[in-house]
Every structure is written in structure tokens, then in C-alpha cells.
Amino acid sequence: MGAAASSSTSRSSSLTVGEKVCAALIPCAVVLEILIYGFASCFDDRRSSPVKPGHTFDDVTRLARNSPFSVNEVEALRELFNRLSNSIITDGLIHKEELQLALLNSAGGENLFLNRVFDLFDEKQNGVIEFEEFVHVLSIFHPHAPMEQKIDFAFRLYDLRRTGFIEREEVKEMIVATLKETGMVLSEEILEEIIDNTFADADADMDGRINKDEWRNFVIRRPQLLKNMTLPSLRDVTTAFPSFIFNTGVDD
């Protein structure tokens, strides 16, 4: 047991602070990948009855104009959204149970990352995800999205209590949840070391919490922290998932 602990400590010490902390961002990116790939299969069944669109062509073109997506790609995302938003409740809105059913194949139980993803998609904080919110959040993970958007989103991912600061306990919760999701095991000592090193490097004014400016400076020095904030598959949705365009009827 002592040898195992020593080996774990050795592996931990061989990683940079950034490599340790960026692991907490991985599940969020993975959840979005699962969301896209998982529902891509829905479009292979052409016998499915089409869902009536809830947005006009003007809405779609406006969303394309204000995002890295083309008009055809926004249409494809609308098809994905329609399938997801009508999986349990046919109201054209994504409820948490529908997101959980899509990602975890279950409509019950608690999951920190599911809750965080849902909360960040639900920009109006009204308990449902609307189509424009869906496109807006996915656009942040687009390879062409501005770096500042990725930095801000990653900050909000850690700011569990929405205080405008990342606090020590929030970082710990995220890392513990990450370890649980990935099946990794770290001792309490190593976990505390990771958090200590993170705050020593990021908390410039040493007040015990990380503000937005400190976070920005921290991730700029540690670009690997934002590596998981980019999903290459969003570069061209209709190429990655050609079956998305089956019902769109739009030519770019």
C-alpha cells in the first residue's frame, strides 16, 4: 500500500499544475461530444416523423450571423435540438430530464457535470434550454470561437455558486467529481496539493479565491487548460454528421 501511495505521489509530482487542473474541464467537453454524437444516430432513421420547427428562416440566419456556424449548420443543430427537446415533453424546450436521458440513459439521479452543463446552457436560468441558448453555448466550443469566450465559460464552469469568484471548495468539488467520472483515485494529500498549487499560481492577491482577471492571466499562461474547450467536430457539423441535413432543406 505504501508503494502504491508512493507511485501515485510520483505520478502526481511529474505533472504540471496546469495538467492537473485542466483534467476538471475534460468531462464538460466529453458531455458535449456525447450529446452531438449520441443524437446523430437519431437522424439515420428516416422513418421518424419530422418535428415541426420552432424558428423561422430569419431566426436561423440571425443565429448564423452571430455565431461561427453557417446557416445550414444552424439548421442541422435545430434538427438535433428538436429531437432532444421532444424526447420526453413535446414543448420544443430541453428539460434537465431530457438532457439526462440523452447523456446518461436515465431521467433520474444527480450528476455534478450534468447539472453544470445544464445550468450553463440555461442562460436565462428559467429551468429549460431554448434553441438560441443551445446554439450559443455550442458556438463557444467551436474552433473559431474567440478565446475570451472560452476563458469566460471555463470560469463559469468552476464558479459553482455564481459568486463571481472561484473558491477553493469549488475547485475541490470539480476535481473530486472528475476523479469519480473517470474512475481515477488520488489520496486526500495529493488532492490538497493540487489545490494548493493551483491557488499559489492563480490567486495573485492571495485572498483565497480566484477572480476573473486572475483566472484569465492563469489560463493564458497555461493554454492547455482551454484545450478541452474546443470540439473539432463543430468545425463543420454537416460534414461531420451529413445525416443532419436530411430535413433541413437549406442550401448554403
Side-chain angles (χ1 to χ4, degrees), residues 55 59-60 62-70 73-79 81 94 121 123 129-142 149 234:
H55 291 78
D59 293 328
V60 171
R62 175 175 50 80
L63 286 170
R65 187 169 57 249
N66 295 322
S67 76
F69 298 112
S70 68
E73 288 170 336
V74 173
E75 281 275 13
L77 291 176
R78 182 173 68 176
E79 291 285 325
F81 179 87
I94 298 176
F121 268 101
E123 296 173 323
I129 300 171
E130 301 174 11
F131 178 59
E132 293 195 20
E133 295 172 322
F134 184 74
V135 172
H136 180 240
V137 172
L138 285 182
S139 72
I140 294 171
F141 284 79
H142 195 284
Q149 289 186 5
L234 293 177

Side-chain angles (χ1 to χ4, degrees), residues 1-206:
M1 182 173 180
S6 175
S7 174
S8 178
T9 303
S10 175
R11 287 195 301 271
S12 174
S13 61
S14 69
L15 297 175
T16 66
V17 174
E19 287 170 335
K20 294 172 183 175
V21 180
C22 76
L25 283 175
I26 294 174
C28 184
V30 170
V31 161
L32 293 179
E33 285 279 24
I34 292 172
L35 176 64
I36 294 171
Y37 279 98
F39 270 78
S41 61
C42 291
F43 296 89
D44 292 332
D45 184 3
R46 300 191 177 191
R47 294 170 300 176
S48 300
S49 58
V51 179
K52 184 178 179 180
H55 291 78
T56 66
F57 181 73
D58 287 342
D59 293 328
V60 171
T61 54
R62 175 175 50 80
L63 286 170
R65 187 169 57 249
N66 295 322
S67 76
F69 298 112
S70 68
V71 170
N72 207 333
E73 288 170 336
V74 173
E75 281 275 13
L77 291 176
R78 182 173 68 176
E79 291 285 325
L80 172 61
F81 179 87
N82 284 342
R83 297 299 178 99
L84 181 55
S85 64
N86 291 279
S87 59
I88 296 178
I89 304 172
T90 310
D91 61 357
L93 301 167
I94 298 176
H95 297 257
K96 185 177 290 187
E97 295 82 2
E98 291 173 318
L99 186 65
Q100 186 161 350
L101 179 64
L103 299 178
L104 305 178
N105 200 30
S106 167
E110 286 295 314
N111 182 286
L112 175 63
F113 290 110
L114 177 91
N115 290 340
R116 290 307 296 142
V117 170
F118 187 88
D119 287 345
L120 292 174
F121 268 101
D122 180 16
E123 296 173 323
K124 294 181 180 179
Q125 294 298 296
N126 59 355
V128 292
I129 300 171
E130 301 174 11
F131 178 59
E132 293 195 20
E133 295 172 322
F134 184 74
V135 172
H136 180 240
V137 172
L138 285 182
S139 72
I140 294 171
F141 284 79
H142 195 284
H144 296 156
M147 189 57 63
E148 289 298 325
Q149 289 186 5
K150 297 179 185 293
I151 292 173
D152 178 68
F153 188 93
F155 181 88
R156 290 186 289 121
L157 179 68
Y158 278 100
D159 183 15
L160 301 178
R161 296 164 183 78
R162 303 191 194 98
T163 61
F165 298 92
I166 297 174
E167 301 180 10
R168 183 184 180 91
E169 190 59 32
E170 292 173 321
V171 174
K172 186 172 183 178
E173 283 184 46
M174 287 294 288
I175 295 177
V176 168
T178 301
L179 295 175
K180 181 179 179 180
E181 292 290 322
T182 59
M184 294 176 60
V185 177
L186 288 180
S187 69
E188 184 70 17
E189 180 182 0
I190 293 174
L191 180 59
E192 291 296 329
E193 177 191 352
I194 292 173
I195 299 171
D196 287 342
N197 290 340
T198 300
F199 275 79
D201 198 12
D203 183 15
D205 60 10
M206 296 182 291

